[in-house]
Amino acid sequence: MDYVRLGTTGLEVSPICLGTWRFGEVSSGVTETDRREAHELLDTFAERGGNFVDTANGYGEGRSEQWIGEWLADRDREDFVIASKCYWSDVSRFQENLSRKNVRAEVEGSLEKLDTDYLDVLYLHRFDDETPIERTLRTIDDLVSEGKVNYVGISTCDAWKLTKGLWQADVNNYEAFTVTQPQYSAVHREPVEDYLEVCADQDLAVCPYSPLHGGLLTGKYERTDEGDVEAPDGSRGDLDEHFEDWYLSEDAWDVVEEVEAVAEEADATPAQVALRWLMDEDRFTCVPIVGARTVDQLEENLDAVDVALSDDQRARIDEAGAVGD
């Protein structure tokens, strides 16, 4: 597996990042990925050359970080790039923000659960409108100086808020955002286009979550004659009551059809084509985060590194989900 430079961080990472949102997550009374399954996924990822793992303090009520920490204990920490997040608290609902107190408490909690001395990347999980961003950035700048955080990133927010954070870091000489994590896929583009333009202009790495649009771009979902979705048992569409509201639209189905057509031509699966489309971004470093729930799904996703798309195939997918249409 060839590694890529994560924007301006200097970190060399696998071209696909392993997402662990579903580790320990309970949906409709079912634990989506249990401890044994989580460790199997991490084993497979590492065996294939993967070194970039994404988690958050609140995933699985803290179980995601804990299980990753247990797994890391038997390995060389320096071989892996670990990213986590803060905003929501896994300790108290009264500390869900980016105040100095909460940021420090959540980072210390993450380090303890992960059993590590530092985070390679700390994302702000959301933008906190109630706490001045310069105060949050100063706190993280202190954590960087203390060696507890190496790089700072931000996930979902408006483009102007991302720009505001970059400006405040610049004028105050604080550690600035170098990595971002928006929702971005061949389907989900228009809502984040302004955000991505900032990333391209400022040379920020982009690590998209939901790169397969909730699994819709895997090709496993079918549209019924009534316009509903037919979801396999145990899939997100089957377990998540919000699936149709969040992921389905007429435009989404148009992209799915084009991705499936390209997959047939490229001797690949729809999921591999959708991931390759992201990895081929030429405006910025793009490392998609995959949240596979089985080893077979993860193996399929990782094989996307060997898929090649022609300019024409990329253009057809671009057109199917073109921004502004």
Side-chain angles (χ1 to χ4, degrees):
M1 183 180 293
D2 294 329
Y3 295 86
V4 299
R5 182 68 62 90
L6 188 63
T8 60
T9 66
L11 295 170
E12 297 287 340
V13 300
S14 46
I16 290 177
C17 176
L18 177 63
T20 63
W21 175 32
R22 313 319 289 178
F23 285 15
E25 188 72 19
V26 178
S27 297
S28 301
V30 177
T31 299
E32 297 193 27
T33 302
D34 62 26
R35 180 179 179 277
R36 177 188 60 79
E37 293 166 332
H39 285 187
E40 287 180 351
L41 289 167
L42 287 162
D43 284 340
T44 300
F45 186 62
E47 288 165 3
R48 288 289 302 271
N51 73 335
F52 192 11
V53 179
D54 181 84
T55 185
N57 59 333
Y59 288 176
E61 297 183 342
R63 288 182 288 273
S64 176
E65 289 183 328
Q66 181 183 345
W67 295 347
I68 293 169
E70 293 169 352
W71 180 83
L72 274 175
D74 297 326
R75 288 160 181 82
D76 186 343
R77 170 68 179 88
E78 295 299 317
D79 289 342
F80 298 92
V81 174
I82 307 297
S84 193
K85 309 177 187 71
C86 67
Y87 179 90
W88 288 288
S89 171
D90 68 344
V91 176
S92 169
R93 65 185 179 89
F94 297 110
Q95 296 181 25
E96 295 183 344
N97 54 54
L98 293 176
S99 66
R100 180 179 293 113
K101 177 181 179 180
N102 196 46
V103 169
R104 276 203 168 271
E106 296 307 318
V107 169
E108 294 290 356
S110 291
L111 295 177
E112 181 177 356
K113 290 192 291 291
L114 288 164
D115 194 21
T116 185
D117 295 328
Y118 66 94
L119 297 174
D120 293 284
V121 178
L122 173 67
Y123 291 103
L124 308 185
H125 214 153
R126 292 293 185 270
F127 195 98
D128 181 6
D129 293 319
E130 304 302 319
T131 302
I133 186 63
E134 61 268 26
R135 188 169 301 159
T136 300
L137 291 173
R138 176 171 182 177
T139 303
I140 297 174
D141 194 69
D142 289 342
L143 290 167
V144 171
S145 297
E146 295 165 17
K148 295 178 180 179
V149 171
N150 287 339
Y151 300 99
V152 58
I154 190 166
S155 185
T156 300
C157 71
D158 295 326
W160 72 266
K161 293 180 180 180
L162 170 60
T163 304
K164 179 179 180 179
L166 290 166
W167 177 75
Q168 285 289 351
D170 182 47
V171 298
N172 289 289
N173 198 29
Y174 296 151
E175 188 73 20
F177 302 133
T178 50
V179 189
T180 62
Q181 190 177 125
Q183 181 182 352
Y184 176 38
S185 69
V187 171
H188 190 84
R189 299 186 226 172
E190 185 171 7
V192 292
E193 187 57 28
D194 289 346
Y195 183 105
L196 296 176
E197 287 181 1
V198 176
C199 295
D201 181 73
Q202 296 297 306
D203 199 15
L204 307 181
V206 177
C207 299
Y209 72 87
S210 201
L212 300 178
H213 203 60
L216 190 69
L217 288 168
T218 64
K220 65 185 176 185
Y221 295 103
E222 295 185 8
R223 183 164 42 175
T224 66
D225 293 338
E226 292 76 25
D228 298 323
V229 64
E230 186 174 320
D233 291 341
S235 67
R236 186 177 302 179
D238 177 48
L239 297 174
D240 193 335
E241 62 183 14
H242 301 294
F243 183 82
E244 292 195 30
D245 292 335
W246 288 351
Y247 296 108
L248 297 186
S249 67
E250 193 64 34
D251 290 343
W253 286 116
D254 290 343
V255 176
V256 170
E257 291 176 4
E258 196 59 58
V259 165
E260 289 177 337
V262 170
E264 186 172 349
E265 297 167 6
D267 192 23
T269 67
Q272 290 165 353
V273 168
L275 291 171
R276 185 74 256 179
W277 181 86
L278 285 168
M279 288 187 282
D280 285 344
E281 258 283 6
D282 59 6
R283 294 179 292 172
F284 39 72
T285 304
C286 190
V287 181
I289 302 170
V290 300
R293 290 180 54 200
T294 69
V295 168
D296 286 345
Q297 287 176 352
L298 180 57
E299 293 275 12
E300 176 189 349
N301 291 342
L302 293 174
D303 284 341
V305 301
D306 297 320
V307 172
L309 301 182
S310 69
D311 291 342
D312 175 68
Q313 289 168 333
R314 281 191 56 80
R316 284 159 46 198
I317 296 173
D318 290 345
E319 184 177 352
V323 172
D325 281 8

